[in-house]
Amino acid sequence: MYMEKASPLAVGLRDHSMRTPVQFQQNYPRELAISEAAALAGVDAIQFRIDNLKEERAIGVLNAVCKASGWDSRPSPAPGAGTAGKDALRGRGVSLMLRDGTYWACVCHIAVTPETGVIKVEKCTLAVDPGVVINPTHLRRQVEGGAMMGISIALLEEVIVDESGVKQDDWLSYPILTMADIPEIKVELIHNPKVGKYGGGSEAANALAAPAIAAAFHDATGKVIRRLPMKPTYALAALKA
């Protein structure tokens, strides 16, 4: 029996895919838990990771992102952490990941306003060791794009489903990062020819921002936020918890 092939629009879904779907979900709770463990131990979050690592390349990207981001070494929360007020509080957080032979580290500096729950990423720094770097300009651009997607998912993107179906059907009900939201992004590429091969790039970058932003929120406020996206409503709930 012949059946006509349906158009992708016939089912009401965009013909598009989320990048790094599985590892995003893995990396967020794991890296946030490690940052929380560092805070409970009273140890700087980057140093805590280095102290518990043996892999040279993982330590290398952590040292590189620490230097490139201007990381201030101290335990979290920050000395001025708080949960109330109209003035923005600032914090920084870190995350680490291995994907497709490439080691990644990310630091996000954020500002959070307790009165509104609004979180703004002010700076995102990434260090990438893919082994052999073939085209540094192209790789840097891919990393920047992946980082922006990760920040967008972390702060804004949410699909709500009820009995009638998916509630988001346009770019107002499903907001994404705008040009005005893009932070300063710095990418540190580590050319490591002794690895003898090249790993994956770009896609993995979007799985790094969320745990770094959440760790920065804890650094700034002393409160842990676990729900994604970190919209003002959910941030206010975390501040009041």
Side-chain angles (χ1 to χ4, degrees), residues 1 8 29 32 50 58 64-65 72 90 146 159 164 188 205:
M1 183 175 68
L32 183 53
I50 290 173
V65 83
D72 54 323
R90 286 176 168 79
V159 175
S164 66
E188 190 78 10

Side-chain angles (χ1 to χ4, degrees), residues 155-168:
L155 296 183
L156 300 167
E157 300 184 32
E158 182 177 42
V159 175
I160 298 173
V161 180
D162 65 11
E163 293 84 355
S164 66
V166 176
K167 304 299 290 182
Q168 284 67 38

Side-chain angles (χ1 to χ4, degrees), residues 52-227:
N52 288 280
L53 280 168
K54 295 181 180 178
E55 172 54 55
E56 179 182 327
R57 292 173 67 195
I59 294 172
V61 291
L62 284 169
N63 282 326
V65 83
C66 179
K67 182 178 180 180
S69 66
W71 179 272
D72 54 323
S73 183
R74 56 168 174 76
S76 289
T83 59
K86 297 180 180 180
D87 296 331
L89 301 171
R90 286 176 168 79
R92 82 289 186 270
V94 63
S95 63
L96 175 71
M97 189 173 70
L98 166 64
R99 179 178 170 85
D100 293 336
T102 298
Y103 285 86
W104 301 77
C106 173
V107 166
C108 284
H109 287 82
I110 72 159
V112 53
T113 305
E115 185 177 73
T116 63
V118 172
I119 298 170
K120 181 175 178 58
V121 179
E122 297 182 317
K123 183 180 178 181
C124 179
T125 307
L126 301 103
V128 189
D129 176 359
V132 178
V133 176
I134 303 296
N135 187 329
T137 300
H138 187 51
L139 177 58
R140 190 181 307 276
R141 289 169 178 167
Q142 287 190 319
V143 174
E144 290 170 349
M148 285 189 284
M149 178 179 274
I151 294 168
S152 183
I153 295 169
L155 296 183
L156 300 167
E157 300 184 32
E158 182 177 42
V159 175
I160 298 173
V161 180
D162 65 11
E163 293 84 355
S164 66
V166 176
K167 304 299 290 182
Q168 284 67 38
D169 58 6
D170 56 38
W171 296 119
L172 294 177
S173 56
Y174 186 87
I176 62 173
L177 203 71
T178 67
M179 292 296 287
D181 301 317
I182 296 174
E184 175 189 346
I185 298 178
K186 185 175 183 179
V187 178
E188 190 78 10
L189 300 181
I190 301 173
H191 178 51
N192 203 343
K194 67 181 180 182
V195 175
K197 57 183 179 180
Y198 58 85
S202 76
E203 180 175 342
N206 76 4
L208 289 153
I213 294 169
F217 180 89
H218 174 253
D219 187 51
T221 67
K223 296 288 187 175
V224 176
I225 185 168
R226 294 192 172 91
R227 181 168 181 171

